[in-house]
């Protein structure tokens, strides 16, 4: 069966070790978590976990079933099979060295990247987009000399209920 | 009224109708034990924490109630892990209370500290660390609810010492917890599908598993099979869910299943699988398992569906409620089968039964383990609760003791835990003091929890141990014989204690049989004595369990052992 990336949106009770349970359930059964994003919802006692994993539909159904067995899991949705919107965010620090300074400023203008911090010797950018947009931004950033970078897991929301 | 944590614990256990705790004290639970000293709650002091969990497990399997354990922190807690994993694999409801160091010391590598909730996360249904006294009563209530609801399982509750010493108000009537019960949703469309599948099937077969026993659905399953004359096979965990002496019963299927059960699985055209999870020991190679059949699977746990075997019609639900719906639907819509088709199918099954019955070679010189079990069945008239250890003793029991009732075959199926049988028998016998409770053991397994003989002796829990003593780790030796050219690497256990003297040293009765003609009289004597008895049967050393499906093979391809096995 064809393997592809699946985005699972998991509602859980916000208990101390709920993330460990979810990670353990997948890891213990040999499944990998490719990306992860967790935070509370509008209700503090309920958290949403958005997680991506790669596998066949059959494997992912198995993962969903395993997750559903956990006492603190309220609901699991595979957003891959419905219309949904996806975002990732990166924070990047570029060092404004003498030889790159002009090139960097030009690239920031051209790409309309958001500048969070601008100092004499460095600059910090915030870029959001879906997976391929972020990958594309990284291609453009690479020649500018990335001093440090952090990338969030994917967050996603289905278009309709 | 304000109560201490230790008092709340005991009150909460009374609320849950707990009538016995299997436990072992230690530093972190001294306060709880002090409270127990003042209480009327029954406590059985085991000799090792693993024994406590197996005893609670045996109690749970035999009664259908939640088994309860209490142990201390650190090593006391880690010693429970094998028992918890055993219960988890077989979906047995337990609540295991572990002591923990005071909350302020957690994470500091305090004396006898260990992260037991972390350790048991993958082998419990759920677990809790109680962080404040206010959480104690609701957590205990949740723990019991989780353990027994849906697909049951073990729940661990970790109790820090300072939390148990703190005080709070206790009002059991006002504890609100989530609802963990699975609501039954009737599925008329699926019942219509079953109706159609049954109508077009010529060779239907029922496969019954542990879920039928846990779901208390034996009567429904038996009724369905008898009404429509559908033959029944079962997994190890399903033994007893359909009467083992009924002509429709084919015995266990799988690696050491009967020839006729495995042939029936391979030739049926409709398989109704109830409360099973298609373990690899049952299916053999998946490719050929029930290859000619459409498969209907009923299970309460969606994660059991399509896990190993892809089925045609999954029905997620409680086994009893679903089978009841099915029986009603079939009756309402006047399901009838073609008598000619059924006669042909049952005739085929009977032919397989006649061709390779379950048998063994009785040479008259050595005690055959199968003969011991058959004689035990004869003498007890099958009216006994049997626990087993793991290995050959377990498989021979599954084959030769024909279980007629649910909750009477108590064995570690999924995890295959050696050392399970004796402590489990103690738990069973505690629950049913008037029943004959027998641990059918091997000489390897029994030594893994032999210390529990002291528990049986102390509390006069009169379990009977039928020790099938071949001086080997028999099942491993069998594999070495068949697949490793008889290189018996570290499986010879001839160096063992004199079990009769050992029994006597523990203050129980030891008996021994070395010849076939002694078997019946030793069993009669042992069963009649009002004391724990260990009966040491010196059996044929290199007897193998047959039939045997070789690993990775199709289950219709069985090794039948020596020729004289086939009559």
């Amino acid at each position: 069966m064809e393997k592809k990336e699946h985005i699972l949106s998991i509602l859980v009770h916000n208990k101390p070790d709920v993330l460990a349970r979810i990670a353990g359930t997948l890891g213990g059964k040999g499944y990998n978590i490719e990306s992860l994003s967790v935070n509370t919802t509008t209700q503090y006692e309920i958290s949403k976990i958005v997680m991506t994993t790669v596998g066949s539909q059959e494997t992912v159904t198995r993962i969903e079933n395993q997750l559903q067995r956990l006492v603190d899991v309220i609901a699991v949705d595979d957003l891959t099979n419905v219309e949904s919107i996806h975002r990732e965010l990166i924070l990047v620090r570029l060092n404004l060295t003498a030889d790159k300074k002009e090139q960097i400023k030009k690239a920031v203008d051209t790409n309309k990247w958001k500048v969070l911090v601008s100092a004499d010797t460095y600059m910090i950018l915030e870029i959001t987009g879906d997976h391929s947009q972020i990958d594309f931004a990284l291609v453009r950033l690479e020649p500018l000399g990335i001093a440090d970078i952090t990338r969030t897991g994917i967050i996603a929301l289905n278009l309709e209920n | 009224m304000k109560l201490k944590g230790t008092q709340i614990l005991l009150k909460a256990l009374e609320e849950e109708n707990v009538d016995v705790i299997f436990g072992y004290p230690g530093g972190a639970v001294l306060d709880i034990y002090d409270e127990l000293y003042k209480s009327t709650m029954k406590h059985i002091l085991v000799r090792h924490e693993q024994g406590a969990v197996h005893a609670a497990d045996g109690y749970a399997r035999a009664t259908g109630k939640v088994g309860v354990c209490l142990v201390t922190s650190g090593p006391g807690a880690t010693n429970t892990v094998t028992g918890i994993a055993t219960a988890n694999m077989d979906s047995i409801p337990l609540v295991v209370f572990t002591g923990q160091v005071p909350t302020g010391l957690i994470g500091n590598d305090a004396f006898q500290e260990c992260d037991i909730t972390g350790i048991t996360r993958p082998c419990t249904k759920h677990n809790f660390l109680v962080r404040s006294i206010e959480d104690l009563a609701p957590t205990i209530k949740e723990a019991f609810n989780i353990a027994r609801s849906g697909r049951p399982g073990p729940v661990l509750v970790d109790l820090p010492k300072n939390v148990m010493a703190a005080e709070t108000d206790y009002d059991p009537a006002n504890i609100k917890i989530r609802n963990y019960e699975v609501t039954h949703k009737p599925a008329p469309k699926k019942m219509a599908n079953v109706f159609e599948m049954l109508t077009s099937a010529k060779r239907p077969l029922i496969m019954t598993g542990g879920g039928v026993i846990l779901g208390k659905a034996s009567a429904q399953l038996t009724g369905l099979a008898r009404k429509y004359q559908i033959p029944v096979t079962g997994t190890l965990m399903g033994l007893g869910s359909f009467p083992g002496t009924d002509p429709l019963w084919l015995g266990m299927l799988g690696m050491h299943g009967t020839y006729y059960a495995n042939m029936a699985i391979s030739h049926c055209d409709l398989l109704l699988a109830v409360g099973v999870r298609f373990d690899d020991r049952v299916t053999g190679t998946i490719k050929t398992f029930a290859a000619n059949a459409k498969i209907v699977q009923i299970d309460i746990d969606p994660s059991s569906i399509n896990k190993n075997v892809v089925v045609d019609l999954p029905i997620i639900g409680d086994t009893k409620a679903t089978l009841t719906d099915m029986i009603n639907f079939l009756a309402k819509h006047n399901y009838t089968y073609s008598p000619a088709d059924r006669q042909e199918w049952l005739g085929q099954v009977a032919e397989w039964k006649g061709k390779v019955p379950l048998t063994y070679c009785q040479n008259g010189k050595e005690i055959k383990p199968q003969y011991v079990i058959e004689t035990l069945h004869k003498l007890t008239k099958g009216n006994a609760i049997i626990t087993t250890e793991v290995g050959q003793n377990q498989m021979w029991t599954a084959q030769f003791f024909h279980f007629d009732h649910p909750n009477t075959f108590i064995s570690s199926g999924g995890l295959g835990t050696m050392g399970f049988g004796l402590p489990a028998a103690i738990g069973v016998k505690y629950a049913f003091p008037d029943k004959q409770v027998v641990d059918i053991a091997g000489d390897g397994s029994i030594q893994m929890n032999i210390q529990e003989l002291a528990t049986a002796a102390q509390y006069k829990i009169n379990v009977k141990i039928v020790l099938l003593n071949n001086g080997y780790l028999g099942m491993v030796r069998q594999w070495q014989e068949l697949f490793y050219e008889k290189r018996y690497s570290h499986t010879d256990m001839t160096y063992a204690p004199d079990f009769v003297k050992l029994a006597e040293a523990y203050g129980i009765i030891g008996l021994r049989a070395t010849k076939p003609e002694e078997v019946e009289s030793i069993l009669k004597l042992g069963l009649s004595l009002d004391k724990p008895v260990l009966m040491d049967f010196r059996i044929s050393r290199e007897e193998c369990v047959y039939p045997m499906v070789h690993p990775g093979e199709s289950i219709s391809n069985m090794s039948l052992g020596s020729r004289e096995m086939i009559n």
Side-chain angles (χ1 to χ4, degrees):
Chain A
M1 260 214 241
E2 189 207 352
K3 281 189 180 181
K4 64 170 195 170
E5 186 180 77
H6 287 254
I7 302 175
L8 300 180
S9 176
I10 310 161
L11 276 184
V12 300
H13 291 279
N14 184 13
K15 292 285 169 74
D17 50 2
V18 66
L19 185 60
R21 288 180 200 281
I22 286 174
T25 300
L26 268 80
K29 302 205 180 276
Y31 306 124
N32 193 26
I33 299 172
E34 302 284 332
S35 126
L36 185 67
S37 170
V38 192
N39 216 326
T40 53
T41 59
T42 49
Q43 294 165 273
Y44 178 74
E45 62 277 15
I46 309 271
S47 286
K48 187 183 260 188
I49 297 176
V50 180
M51 186 178 88
T52 61
T53 186
V54 174
S56 63
Q57 184 59 52
E58 201 183 4
T59 306
V60 173
T61 304
R62 243 179 251 163
I63 292 174
E64 283 180 60
N65 285 336
Q66 291 294 343
L67 291 174
Q68 294 275 17
R69 277 184 77 181
L70 297 176
V71 164
D72 283 329
V73 168
I74 301 164
V76 184
D77 277 319
D78 186 349
L79 297 184
T80 322
N81 301 334
V82 296
E83 275 199 293
S84 58
I85 191 155
H86 313 151
R87 280 294 175 269
E88 289 174 53
L89 181 151
I90 54 172
L91 296 174
V92 195
R93 187 169 65 238
L94 301 172
N95 286 340
L96 300 175
T97 53
D99 59 324
K100 297 273 186 191
K101 202 167 181 173
E102 285 313 308
Q103 200 188 340
I104 289 171
K105 287 190 169 165
K106 204 174 152 194
V108 169
D109 285 345
T110 318
N111 294 294
K112 298 191 174 104
W113 285 333
K114 186 172 172 183
V115 180
L116 290 185
V117 182
S118 182
D120 287 345
T121 54
Y122 67 91
M123 188 180 259
I124 292 181
L125 307 178
E126 174 196 307
I127 303 169
T128 61
D130 64 21
H131 197 77
S132 59
Q133 286 168 324
I134 297 293
D135 283 349
F136 185 67
L138 288 173
V139 171
R140 298 204 156 183
L141 285 163
E142 206 269 322
L144 305 175
I146 298 170
D148 202 0
I149 184 166
T150 183
R151 182 172 182 168
T152 66
I154 293 172
I155 59 167
L157 199 64
N158 46 342
L159 297 192
E160 290 171 52
N161 256 339
Chain B
M1 195 178 80
K2 287 215 183 299
L3 291 180
K4 274 176 65 180
T6 51
Q7 295 170 313
I8 291 173
L9 171 65
L10 292 183
K11 293 245 182 244
L13 293 182
E14 280 169 28
E15 283 287 315
E16 299 294 340
N17 298 317
V18 173
D19 55 15
V20 63
I21 300 171
F22 298 92
Y24 201 102
V29 287
L30 270 166
D31 291 350
I32 301 173
Y33 272 85
D34 190 51
E35 202 59 49
L36 263 176
Y37 190 80
K38 303 170 205 161
S39 135
T40 54
M41 176 66 74
K42 292 276 188 299
H43 177 277
I44 300 292
L45 172 67
V46 295
R47 295 305 189 267
H48 186 290
E49 290 88 350
Q50 185 185 346
V53 188
H54 291 328
D57 181 323
Y59 172 94
R61 288 181 205 236
T63 60
K65 290 167 69 179
V66 179
V68 179
C69 302
L70 172 62
V71 302
T72 192
S73 64
T78 56
N79 275 346
T80 64
V81 172
T82 301
I84 292 172
T86 303
N88 195 49
M89 282 288 263
D90 291 344
S91 307
I92 304 305
L94 298 183
V95 176
V96 178
F97 292 99
T98 50
Q100 182 56 280
V101 300
T103 45
L105 290 179
I106 291 177
N108 286 9
D109 296 338
F111 178 64
Q112 293 196 329
E113 180 194 351
C114 83
D115 174 13
I116 195 62
T117 49
I119 289 171
T120 57
R121 210 176 278 134
C123 64
T124 48
K125 184 172 174 189
H126 196 63
N127 61 24
F128 297 94
L129 168 61
V130 182
R131 287 160 201 275
S132 76
I133 183 70
E134 287 74 28
D135 292 341
L136 180 62
T139 301
I140 295 169
K141 193 166 177 178
E142 292 219 322
F144 278 87
N145 266 277
I146 292 168
R148 65 178 153 237
S149 62
R151 177 178 179 174
V155 178
L156 181 137
V157 183
D158 202 18
L159 304 169
K161 196 168 183 178
N162 60 321
V163 171
M164 300 313 285
E167 289 188 349
T168 191
D169 289 317
Y170 177 63
D171 179 8
N174 277 321
I175 301 170
K176 292 205 170 42
I177 62 160
R178 276 189 251 158
N179 177 24
Y180 293 99
E181 289 304 327
V182 179
T183 42
H184 178 64
K185 296 184 203 105
K189 217 181 226 173
K190 297 218 165 175
M191 293 306 150
N193 289 342
V194 173
F195 182 91
E196 281 166 32
M197 289 162 98
L198 266 173
T199 305
S200 54
K202 289 182 190 303
R203 300 182 302 280
L205 179 67
I206 293 174
M207 172 178 169
T208 177
V212 174
I213 293 171
L214 291 165
K216 300 180 173 64
S218 296
Q220 287 71 17
L221 185 118
T222 305
L224 180 75
R226 283 181 175 162
K227 185 167 181 192
Y228 300 117
Q229 288 297 296
I230 305 170
V232 185
T233 178
T235 66
L236 183 74
M237 295 304 296
L239 297 182
S241 60
F242 184 82
T245 49
D246 191 291
L248 287 168
W249 176 244
L250 303 181
M252 183 173 73
L253 79 160
M255 183 172 272
H256 292 296
T258 63
Y259 173 79
Y260 34 99
N262 287 345
M263 291 304 278
I265 280 278
S266 305
H267 288 82
C268 67
D269 63 357
L270 177 65
L271 182 63
L272 184 58
V274 191
V276 305
R277 59 184 176 86
F278 297 110
D279 179 87
D280 53 276
R281 284 291 191 270
V282 157
T283 60
T285 182
I286 294 281
K287 271 183 284 177
T288 52
F289 179 79
N292 300 305
K294 287 218 181 324
I295 304 178
V296 180
Q297 184 184 2
I298 302 172
D299 204 280
I300 198 163
D301 180 1
S303 76
S304 286
I305 308 271
N306 290 342
K307 186 173 69 177
N308 300 325
V309 169
V310 178
V311 302
D312 299 277
L313 180 66
I315 306 176
I316 294 161
D318 171 74
T319 47
K320 185 176 186 172
T322 307
L323 285 174
T324 305
D325 284 358
M326 191 178 289
I327 289 164
N328 292 341
F329 191 97
L330 293 175
K332 195 175 155 198
H333 294 83
N334 298 318
Y335 164 69
T336 50
Y337 54 89
S338 145
D341 283 351
R342 197 64 103 244
Q343 212 172 4
E344 197 183 326
W345 174 227
L346 291 175
Q348 171 68 74
V349 169
E351 195 187 311
W352 285 322
K353 271 190 182 179
K355 188 175 162 201
V356 187
L358 206 49
T359 183
Y360 58 95
C361 168
Q362 181 65 273
N363 61 16
K365 295 183 212 105
E366 299 169 302
I367 299 177
K368 289 296 174 109
Q370 301 93 332
Y371 172 66
V372 178
I373 295 167
E374 274 183 346
T375 311
L376 178 67
H377 185 261
K378 186 181 86 181
L379 293 175
T380 58
K381 300 184 180 66
N383 187 18
I385 304 179
I386 305 292
T387 71
T388 73
E389 305 288 341
V390 165
Q392 289 183 317
N393 60 78
Q394 181 185 34
M395 291 298 113
W396 284 319
T397 305
Q399 291 178 335
F400 289 91
F401 199 98
H402 309 289
F403 294 92
D404 276 332
H405 304 287
N407 311 92
T408 59
F409 173 66
I410 313 282
S411 189
S412 167
L415 198 66
T417 307
M418 290 172 71
F420 174 82
L422 172 57
I426 290 172
V428 175
K429 184 72 179 175
Y430 180 86
F432 295 103
D434 300 330
K435 285 241 165 178
Q436 195 66 263
V437 178
V438 184
D439 172 27
I440 298 181
D443 52 304
S445 284
I446 190 85
Q447 292 187 70
M448 284 208 182
N449 272 319
I450 192 81
Q451 75 286 347
E452 299 309 329
L453 287 179
T455 310
Q458 178 185 343
Y459 295 96
K460 300 185 172 57
I461 297 174
N462 297 337
V463 295
K464 305 297 155 83
I465 299 151
V466 169
L467 180 61
L468 304 174
N469 186 351
N470 55 12
Y472 277 121
L473 296 175
M475 186 58 94
V476 183
R477 187 211 59 77
Q478 175 171 341
W479 281 54
Q480 289 171 336
E481 175 187 329
L482 298 174
F483 311 124
Y484 295 87
E485 295 164 327
K486 296 196 176 187
R487 290 187 299 278
Y488 295 159
S489 180
H490 302 277
T491 42
D492 192 318
M493 297 272 276
T494 322
Y495 190 90
D498 179 326
F499 285 102
V500 172
K501 284 188 185 161
L502 186 69
E504 286 163 0
Y506 273 110
I508 71 166
I509 292 169
L511 301 171
R512 177 172 293 132
T514 54
K515 298 187 202 93
E517 56 270 27
E518 295 166 348
V519 168
E520 187 160 339
S521 57
I522 290 292
L523 275 172
K524 260 189 191 157
L525 177 60
L527 292 173
S528 69
L529 294 169
D530 198 21
K531 270 200 130 187
V533 182
L534 188 154
M535 292 163 261
D536 180 15
F537 293 93
R538 296 298 178 87
I539 62 163
S540 163
R541 287 204 73 200
E542 299 203 0
E543 186 74 13
C544 286
V545 181
Y546 286 114
M548 180 176 192
V549 177
H550 290 198
E553 287 288 328
S554 162
I555 64 165
S556 60
N557 186 9
M558 284 159 275
S559 177
L560 300 171
S562 55
R563 283 195 66 84
E564 61 264 31
M565 275 195 59
I566 307 166
N567 280 355

